[in-house]
């Protein structure tokens, strides 16, 4: 997410969840209920315990005329313990039926939790398939600052964005970034509409009823908050970068064209990022430009970031593109690790400017230390209010210190170890954690090991220090 777009409070209200003690069929209990929540430091009820998802197959039918969504979610997962029941996160919508391993399963709803009791206990290590039929008019979640996430209707369509937990407004799942999975998303909409999601468009099929099905395939693991579905009369453009990365962009009417403004430099930016950070981590790149005013922020939805109106600054496009490496390929283990997303993406802005006749990263660093708004308009803000690795509250995970002080942590490492070791560290970090999850502790240990430097003072003062660094 781009901080300049909005200082966003990413803490939607999550309802209290049901604690289960239900038994299983048979005389001997083989499993126990999976946890309803992963005890994330900021969103303890997000996600669920007892299983890891391998693949989501979502078949969604949406009509903008009445706002009705009809969905089938097939979730393939592996049990990490014997399970007598397990939970899926789902906000609103009506569940019409659930099967597990092809057999009808009992289920109940409490708040944002769908609790599923299979006909037979699941064994530890068992790969199981859950199918959920559901429908209704999805509603967005409203964050404490009034910004929206989840399924958001537009004048002639809809856009779905999900940081941190908004994806549960349009499909059931394990909605925590620590559980990444592959996705196949099919969107069926009235003829004349485009339907855009993550990954590659495998097919576009029209039926006899005047509807078009768009089948999207994302083979690389993806955290659910990065999934998107965008429906409307968009103009689509395609192409390839010089190195062969596929490009697919969709722009709402009245928002210019993907080939103009900063988006025109997207192929160049992909090549630049590949040179700085290592090979682009996904099969496709691109952008989705939704009508201005639909959202108050841009979001790094995997492979195809969403922008609220046509971006007017290179830095915004670079920021969301950099997330494809930092946050999307290398995803946080918990929301406390958000600075690894935003600090790196902000530092990427500084590097882009450094490489394209703008201020150097050192000049940005000094500007924030001195409050020089001639270099960066946000330099006199509260970037030092708290340590980036320890935001005090959930709403602070998208505050200035996570972005700007996070970037300054990276620059301090660069100052300590020199350019050669620093950029080798960055490329190695992305390569060694490609398509996985990582924590702040993982990064600090990796940085010291790979550079051979004792960086304790950087961590103590810049990453964890409570006082303004000097």
């Amino acid at each position: 997410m781009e901080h300049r777009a909005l200082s966003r409070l990413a803490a939607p209200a999550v309802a209290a969840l049901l604690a289960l003690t239900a038994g299983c069929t048979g005389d001997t209990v083989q499993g126990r209920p999976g946890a309803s929540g992963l005890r994330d430091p900021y969103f303890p009820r997000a996600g669920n315990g007892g299983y890891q998802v391998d693949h989501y197959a979502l078949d969604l039918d949406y009509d903008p005329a009445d706002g009705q969504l009809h969905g089938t979610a097939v979730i393939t997962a592996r049990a990490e313990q014997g399970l007598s029941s397990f939970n899926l996160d789902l906000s609103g919508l009506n569940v019409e039926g659930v099967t597990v391993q092809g057999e009808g399963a009992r289920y109940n709803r409490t708040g944002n939790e769908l609790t599923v009791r299979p006909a037979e206990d699941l064994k530890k290590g068992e790969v199981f398939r859950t199918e959920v039929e559901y429908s209704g008019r999805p509603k967005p979640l409203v964050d404490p600052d009034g910004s929206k996430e989840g399924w958001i209707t537009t004048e002639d369509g809809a856009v779905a964005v999900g940081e941190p937990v908004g994806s549960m407004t349009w499909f059931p799942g394990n909605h925590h970034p620590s559980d990444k999975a592959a996705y196949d998303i099919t969107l069926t909409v009235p003829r004349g509409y485009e339907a855009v999601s993550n990954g590659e468009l495998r097919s576009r099929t029209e039926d006899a009823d005047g509807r078009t099905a768009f089948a999207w395939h994302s083979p690389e693991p993806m955290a659910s908050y990065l999934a998107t579905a965008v429906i409307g009369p968009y103009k689509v453009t395609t192409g390839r970068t010089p190195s062969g990365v596929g490009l697919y962009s969709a722009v709402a009417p009245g928002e210019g064209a993907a080939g103009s403004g900063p988006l025109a430099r997207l192929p160049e930016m992909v090549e630049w990022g590949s040179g700085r950070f290592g090979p682009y981590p996904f099969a496709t790149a691109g952008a989705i430009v939704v009508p201005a005013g639909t959202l108050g922020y841009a979001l790094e939805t995997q492979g195809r970031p969403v922008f609220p109106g046509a971006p007017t600054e290179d830095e915004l496009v670079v920021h969301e593109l950099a997330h494809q490496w930092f946050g999307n390929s290398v995803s946080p283990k918990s929301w406390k690790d958000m600075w690894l997303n935003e600090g790196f993406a902000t530092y990427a802005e500084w590097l882009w400017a450094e490489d394209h006749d703008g201020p150097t990263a050192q000049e940005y660093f000094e500007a924030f230390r001195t409050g020089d708004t001639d270099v960066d308009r946000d330099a006199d803000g509260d970037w030092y209010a708290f340590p980036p690795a320890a935001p005090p509250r959930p709403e602070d995970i998208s505050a200035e210190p996570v972005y700007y002080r996070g970037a300054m942590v990276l620059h301090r490492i660069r100052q300590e170890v020199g350019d050669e070791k620093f950029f080798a560290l960055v490329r190695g970090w992305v390569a060694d954690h490609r398509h996985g999850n990582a924590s702040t502790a993982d990064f600090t240990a990796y940085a010291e090991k790979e550079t051979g430097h004792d960086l304790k003072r950087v961590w103590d003062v810049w990453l964890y220090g409570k006082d303004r660094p000097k």
Side-chain angles (χ1 to χ4, degrees):
M1 184 191 303
E2 165 62 23
H3 185 269
R4 287 190 175 90
L6 180 69
S7 297
R8 184 167 178 256
L9 304 180
V14 180
L17 307 178
L18 178 67
L20 293 175
T21 57
C24 59
T25 58
D27 295 330
T28 304
V29 175
Q30 300 294 325
R32 65 186 190 276
S36 59
L38 293 178
R39 295 183 175 84
D40 183 274
Y42 298 105
F43 305 99
R45 298 299 189 183
N48 301 285
Y51 66 93
Q52 287 283 115
V53 179
D54 294 327
H55 182 263
Y56 289 92
L58 307 178
D59 192 347
L60 308 176
D61 189 302
Y62 184 71
D63 190 344
D66 61 12
Q68 282 284 338
L69 176 70
H70 299 273
T72 300
V74 179
I75 304 166
T76 303
R78 183 180 301 273
E80 296 191 315
Q81 65 179 58
L83 286 170
S84 60
S85 65
F86 59 92
N87 284 24
L88 298 169
D89 304 312
L90 182 65
S91 175
L93 302 174
N94 303 309
V95 175
E96 296 160 352
V98 181
T99 64
V100 178
Q101 301 293 57
E103 296 188 53
R106 291 181 296 149
Y107 61 91
N108 66 278
R109 301 287 299 279
T110 301
N112 294 326
E113 290 294 312
L114 170 62
T115 302
V116 178
R117 298 176 179 85
E120 296 184 5
D121 282 6
L122 300 168
K123 298 180 177 64
K124 182 178 180 180
E126 181 177 355
V127 176
F128 64 100
R129 187 173 182 268
T130 303
E131 183 170 329
V132 182
E133 299 279 349
Y134 61 100
S135 65
R137 289 185 174 87
K139 297 179 180 179
L141 299 175
V142 179
D143 294 341
D145 66 346
S147 62
K148 296 186 295 184
E149 61 161 328
W151 190 277
I152 298 166
T153 57
T154 62
E155 184 175 339
D156 49 11
V159 54
V161 291
E163 188 180 54
V165 294
S167 292
M168 68 179 176
T169 65
W170 57 285
F171 69 94
N174 199 17
H175 292 297
H176 188 268
S178 62
D179 192 359
K180 300 170 71 170
Y183 281 73
D184 283 279
I185 300 176
T186 298
L187 302 169
T188 301
V189 296
R191 187 175 300 166
Y193 284 84
E194 297 291 330
V196 186
S197 189
N198 311 87
E200 299 177 272
L201 181 61
R202 284 290 181 86
S203 65
R204 174 179 179 145
T205 308
E206 295 189 2
D207 64 22
D209 297 325
R211 301 182 69 76
T212 307
F214 296 78
W216 293 90
H217 176 63
S218 297
E220 303 94 352
M222 178 167 68
S224 66
Y225 80 91
L226 298 169
T228 190
V230 178
I231 297 162
Y234 288 79
K235 181 179 180 180
V236 171
T237 58
T238 61
R240 290 198 175 274
T241 69
S243 63
V245 176
L247 296 171
Y248 190 107
S249 295
V251 179
E255 296 297 341
S260 63
L263 284 180
R265 303 188 74 178
L266 183 60
E268 175 191 355
M269 292 173 181
V270 173
E271 300 298 294
W272 171 83
S274 297
R276 276 298 196 186
F277 312 131
Y280 182 75
F282 305 108
T284 63
I288 301 169
V289 180
V290 300
T294 303
L295 300 171
Y297 52 89
L299 192 66
E300 62 271 19
T301 45
Q302 191 152 302
R304 199 160 288 115
V306 173
F307 297 95
T312 58
E313 298 178 340
D314 283 358
E315 290 78 9
L316 176 58
V317 180
V318 167
H319 185 102
E320 303 307 335
L321 175 65
H323 275 307
Q324 307 310 310
W325 288 268
F326 307 106
N328 296 13
S329 178
V330 186
S331 301
K333 282 186 178 177
S334 82
W335 287 110
K336 192 173 184 178
D337 303 309
M338 186 75 156
W339 82 275
L340 287 170
N341 294 17
E342 303 299 352
F344 267 110
T346 302
Y347 199 65
E349 295 181 47
W350 297 1
L351 293 176
W352 171 265
E354 181 173 281
D355 290 348
H356 294 83
D357 300 321
T360 65
Q362 178 65 27
E363 288 170 331
Y364 277 110
F365 180 83
E366 290 299 333
F368 277 88
R369 290 187 65 185
T370 62
D372 184 357
T373 56
D374 288 338
V375 174
D376 192 298
R377 63 178 179 266
D378 294 327
D380 63 348
D382 292 331
W383 62 266
Y384 51 84
F386 59 81
R393 300 167 300 176
E395 55 265 42
D396 294 319
I397 67 169
S398 290
E400 291 186 5
V402 174
Y403 290 70
Y404 301 125
R405 187 165 162 182
M408 295 170 83
V409 169
L410 298 173
H411 192 71
R412 281 292 295 117
I413 298 171
R414 183 180 176 185
Q415 289 175 327
E416 290 287 327
V417 307
D419 279 12
E420 183 177 352
K421 287 187 176 181
F422 175 76
F423 288 109
L425 163 67
V426 172
R427 289 189 292 270
W429 172 251
V430 170
D432 290 350
H433 296 81
R434 182 180 175 91
H435 300 319
N437 293 84
S439 68
T440 298
D442 293 330
F443 178 75
T444 55
Y446 187 89
E448 295 202 350
K449 177 177 179 293
E450 294 301 311
T451 64
H453 283 247
D454 180 356
L455 298 170
K456 184 176 185 299
R457 179 166 173 76
V458 176
W459 314 141
D460 289 349
V461 174
W462 288 88
L463 188 57
Y464 289 104
K466 295 182 179 179
D467 298 327
R468 177 172 179 157
K470 297 179 181 178

